[in-house]
Amino acid sequence: MKDEQHRFSALTSLIRLISLIGVEGKVDDLCMAILTDTSQEFGIKRLTCCSLEKGTATLRISGSSERVTAYKSVKLDDSSVAWLAQLPTDKMHIIESIDHLPQSFREILAPDEQECVALFIGRDDEPWHLVAISIDKENAQAVCNDAELAEYFRGVLIILDTLDRIGENLLSRLDINSVFELAPIGIIICDEDGSVISANNQALLILGCGPDTDALIGENLVSGDAFKNSGLDTVIRRAIAGEQVDIENLRFRCPSGKSVYLDVRFRSTRSKNGRSRVIGILADVTQRIRLQQQLERSYRSLTEAYEELQRIDKMKTRFIDTVSHELRTPLTVMRGYLEMLESGYSDKIDQKVMGKIKAIRANTERLYDLVETMLDVARIEQGAMEIIKQEASIKNLIEEVVASQQGLAHDKHQEITLVLQGELSSAMFDYRKMKDALRNVLNNAIRYTPEGGKIQVGAADEGKMIHIWVKDNGIGIPTSELERIFDRFHIVVAKELSHQVDRMGLGLPMAKGIVDAHGGKIWVESEVGKGSIFHIHIPKQ
């Protein structure tokens, strides 16, 4: 009679365990239910359910009658795995002394000194499942020999395995659904007729259906009135026919009438029951397309503006070239007559009149130099400047240029010092043109240095190059102006100086053109409020 009651008790417990799967499926609840059904009959005090992932040798506690809040996983060594593998399966195995347990199992099961441990193991599939129970030592043999209890725990292992599989499938489905909903692109699934089976939130927003999922489910994207001639109907029809459809910048008309641009990818697949399905992804690229269109319009406008500026610049260059040539001839005649008056009739002309003639001649010379500079700049731009190199002295060149500018510096009470480092060898260069280049750089320093300033002109032999520099303690050049300092007609704006009206912005561009034509280099270092240094490298050959 006791056996019949015991058999009924075991069967009832298994049925109740199975019913728990449908409610919560918590292993802790199963452990408590097992303990309730077996503690009185067999003296079981504690119960722990574990699983071993053999590939990683990780023993994981899945539940306990102690209801531990945070279960740990233990990495087993090879000897512990081997010990577990040699235990009999589908049978209760008694470990009478904790000394016979591997250390990792002692930490997990933690039996008392008066207790022994019984293990029931299933190794049919990965992972291995096992139930560990703590019992009094006097009940150990009865537990080990009870066939009904073994059958009961065999059922428990099946339930544990089922719970594992349910958990994996649930997590897998949850992960897929999360990815489906959180994807930043639209994902849509249609049946073989083009009716929507499933769509994520992003797809609803892209297709203009709002956040209401039911608004799109069942909608036919091929023949439905809302999507007819939308642009998407043709794409889905091609995918249903088995074509792999990849289209960029597809113009799609929403049911609301709004037009957007989409990048679409559609593929035809078959479900498990053999039915055809169309899976598509949609990316709204409207902002990118509109930005691209705006950039293209801006680019066209800029191109047109640039071409217009080039046209105006060419007109200006031709105008300057023409005017310069037209001015040069009468200026040459004026220079000749003025020189004749000054040299041949100075003793016959009233001195007051002669003073005015000298002033006229000085301004004529200045205007002539300006015309020559404009013509030189035009020749440089056209690549027509002729450089005639001859061996000449750098020292003589610098001294002559400094002497020619001493008068202008004296008028502003400036001091020009000459620094020649070591012996300066002669070099091959066009003396007249290089003199013009250096004169323009020094003249620029004088004009942009306030009264009482100091200017240094120096030179040094640096092997294959002669290094010439002009250093001043003037107003300096803003960093924003440095890249344009050698552009034609560019003048650095400076409130500190009133002499800018005398500038045309041609001296430095001409100097650069001449230095470049010699195969040299000119550059500037400057700091606002402290001054500038113009450097010139001239090849010796």
Side-chain angles (χ1 to χ4, degrees):
M1 190 69 177
K2 182 179 179 180
D3 288 343
E4 287 295 324
Q5 291 177 346
H6 176 67
R7 187 176 299 109
F8 178 77
S9 174
L11 182 60
T12 303
S13 294
L14 283 175
I15 293 172
R16 191 154 66 91
L17 292 181
I18 293 172
S19 69
L20 287 174
I21 296 176
V23 180
E24 291 289 342
K26 292 182 179 178
V27 180
D28 280 348
D29 294 336
L30 294 178
C31 291
M32 286 302 299
I34 295 169
L35 189 64
T36 300
D37 289 337
T38 59
S39 59
Q40 185 175 2
E41 185 78 23
F42 298 102
I44 296 176
K45 295 183 175 182
R46 290 188 305 278
L47 185 140
T48 303
C49 294
C50 306
S51 62
L52 175 67
E53 297 176 359
K54 190 177 178 182
T56 59
T58 302
L59 185 67
R60 177 174 56 87
I61 299 178
S62 52
S64 170
S65 60
E66 301 293 308
R67 292 186 177 272
V68 180
T69 54
Y71 295 121
K72 61 182 179 180
S73 297
V74 178
K75 187 79 171 178
L76 301 182
D77 54 27
D78 292 342
S79 60
S80 295
V81 176
W83 176 84
L84 195 62
Q86 57 86 31
L87 296 180
T89 185
D90 289 340
K91 181 180 178 182
M92 194 67 72
H93 182 76
I94 302 295
I95 296 96
E96 295 182 354
S97 172
I98 60 174
D99 295 334
H100 298 157
L101 279 173
Q103 183 61 38
S104 54
F105 283 93
R106 296 183 204 176
E107 295 175 2
I108 294 174
L109 304 178
D112 293 336
E113 291 289 341
Q114 295 79 19
E115 298 174 351
C116 63
V117 174
L119 296 178
F120 194 90
I121 306 171
R123 292 193 295 265
D124 292 337
D125 296 308
E126 178 86 10
W128 294 354
H129 291 285
L130 64 144
V131 178
I133 58 177
S134 297
I135 53 176
D136 291 330
K137 291 184 178 181
E138 59 267 21
N139 294 330
Q141 200 60 39
V143 168
C144 182
N145 295 331
D146 195 291
E148 186 67 19
L149 185 64
E151 190 66 28
Y152 173 69
F153 277 111
R154 194 172 293 113
V156 169
L157 292 184
I158 293 173
I159 292 175
L160 289 174
D161 185 65
T162 303
L163 281 177
D164 256 3
R165 296 181 186 278
I166 291 174
E168 289 176 1
N169 290 335
L170 182 59
L171 285 175
S172 178
R173 291 191 63 183
L174 287 174
D175 289 343
I176 292 173
N177 288 336
S178 297
V179 171
F180 193 67
E181 289 302 330
L182 295 176
I185 57 176
I187 304 174
I188 192 168
I189 303 174
C190 299
D191 63 16
E192 55 194 3
D193 297 322
S195 296
V196 178
I197 300 173
S198 179
N200 67 349
N201 289 333
Q202 193 65 23
L204 299 176
L205 295 174
I206 290 174
L207 297 178
C209 299
D212 185 8
T213 305
D214 294 335
L216 189 61
I217 302 301
E219 186 74 36
N220 193 295
L221 302 185
V222 175
S223 59
D225 293 336
F227 292 92
K228 189 179 293 183
N229 301 322
S230 65
L232 196 60
D233 52 341
T234 305
V235 173
I236 296 176
R237 190 178 290 111
R238 290 168 55 188
I240 291 173
E243 185 179 347
Q244 293 187 1
V245 185
D246 298 334
I247 299 180
E248 294 182 352
N249 307 336
L250 172 71
R251 186 168 184 174
F252 169 71
R253 184 175 58 82
C254 299
S256 62
K258 177 185 174 182
S259 291
V260 296
Y261 290 91
L262 305 177
D263 282 355
V264 299
R265 305 285 186 273
F266 275 88
R267 298 291 186 271
S268 178
T269 62
R270 289 195 176 276
S271 62
K272 291 182 178 180
N273 58 16
R275 289 191 174 184
S276 178
R277 294 284 186 268
V278 172
I279 300 177
I281 60 173
L282 318 168
D284 189 345
V285 295
T286 305
Q287 287 187 340
R288 187 191 75 192
I289 294 299
R290 288 177 179 168
L291 178 61
Q292 184 178 339
Q293 291 172 344
Q294 184 178 351
L295 288 174
E296 289 174 353
R297 288 193 297 269
S298 299
Y299 177 76
R300 285 196 297 270
S301 298
L302 288 173
T303 301
E304 291 171 359
Y306 176 72
E307 291 174 351
E308 179 65 13
L309 286 174
Q310 280 191 316
R311 187 184 67 82
I312 294 173
D313 189 60
K314 288 179 180 178
M315 287 178 60
K316 180 181 66 176
T317 301
R318 286 197 298 268
F319 172 76
I320 293 173
D321 193 24
T322 302
V323 170
S324 299
H325 278 95
E326 292 297 326
L327 287 174
R328 188 181 188 190
T329 300
L331 283 173
T332 301
V333 174
M334 290 172 63
R335 290 175 70 210
Y337 280 117
L338 288 169
E339 184 180 358
M340 183 179 66
L341 286 172
E342 190 176 357
S343 60
Y345 296 92
S346 59
D347 55 343
K348 299 177 183 179
I349 300 176
D350 185 78
Q351 290 303 307
K352 289 184 178 180
V353 176
M354 183 55 66
K356 294 184 182 299
I357 291 174
K358 289 182 178 180
I360 292 172
R361 185 183 177 190
N363 281 283
T364 302
E365 290 294 332
R366 181 169 170 272
L367 185 58
Y368 185 82
D369 288 342
L370 179 59
V371 169
E372 282 296 315
T373 299
M374 292 169 68
L375 288 172
D376 283 340
V377 171
R379 294 188 193 101
I380 290 170
E381 288 186 344
Q382 297 167 6
M385 172 172 279
E386 185 179 6
I387 299 295
I388 302 174
K389 290 185 177 183
Q390 293 179 336
E391 187 174 356
S393 169
I394 293 292
K395 181 175 179 292
N396 292 344
L397 169 72
I398 295 174
E399 289 176 345
E400 184 176 345
V401 170
V402 171
S404 70
Q405 299 298 304
Q406 284 288 7
L408 182 61
H410 183 268
D411 292 341
K412 296 184 67 175
H413 308 289
Q414 295 170 343
E415 179 186 354
I416 301 179
T417 57
L418 185 60
V419 179
L420 302 177
Q421 297 180 357
E423 291 292 330
L424 295 178
S425 60
S426 59
M428 298 292 294
F429 59 93
D430 189 315
Y431 192 91
R432 186 185 72 80
K433 288 187 173 60
M434 192 58 69
K435 183 175 72 173
D436 290 341
L438 185 56
R439 185 183 71 244
N440 278 300
V441 175
L442 180 55
N443 184 270
N444 184 79
I446 294 171
R447 290 180 180 275
Y448 281 91
T449 300
E451 292 192 6
K454 295 184 178 182
I455 299 170
Q456 181 190 97
V457 181
D461 191 328
E462 296 183 353
K464 295 182 179 181
M465 292 283 184
I466 298 294
H467 182 193
I468 302 174
W469 64 88
V470 177
K471 179 180 180 181
D472 65 61
N473 63 347
I475 62 173
I477 305 169
T479 304
S480 60
E481 301 276 357
L482 288 176
E483 291 185 359
R484 302 181 58 199
I485 196 69
F486 295 105
D487 291 351
R488 281 185 311 141
F489 305 110
H490 182 71
I491 300 173
V492 176
V493 177
K495 296 180 181 179
E496 298 91 333
L497 300 177
S498 60
H499 305 286
Q500 294 172 18
V501 292
D502 297 331
R503 307 292 291 169
M504 285 192 66
L506 291 174
L508 292 180
M510 190 186 77
K512 184 178 187 308
I514 292 172
V515 173
D516 289 347
H518 279 78
K521 180 182 179 182
I522 182 170
W523 72 99
V524 61
E525 298 174 324
S526 186
E527 186 174 349
V528 174
K530 292 189 177 181
S532 305
I533 308 176
F534 281 82
H535 300 271
I536 298 175
H537 268 170
I538 305 173
K540 288 183 179 179
Q541 299 297 325

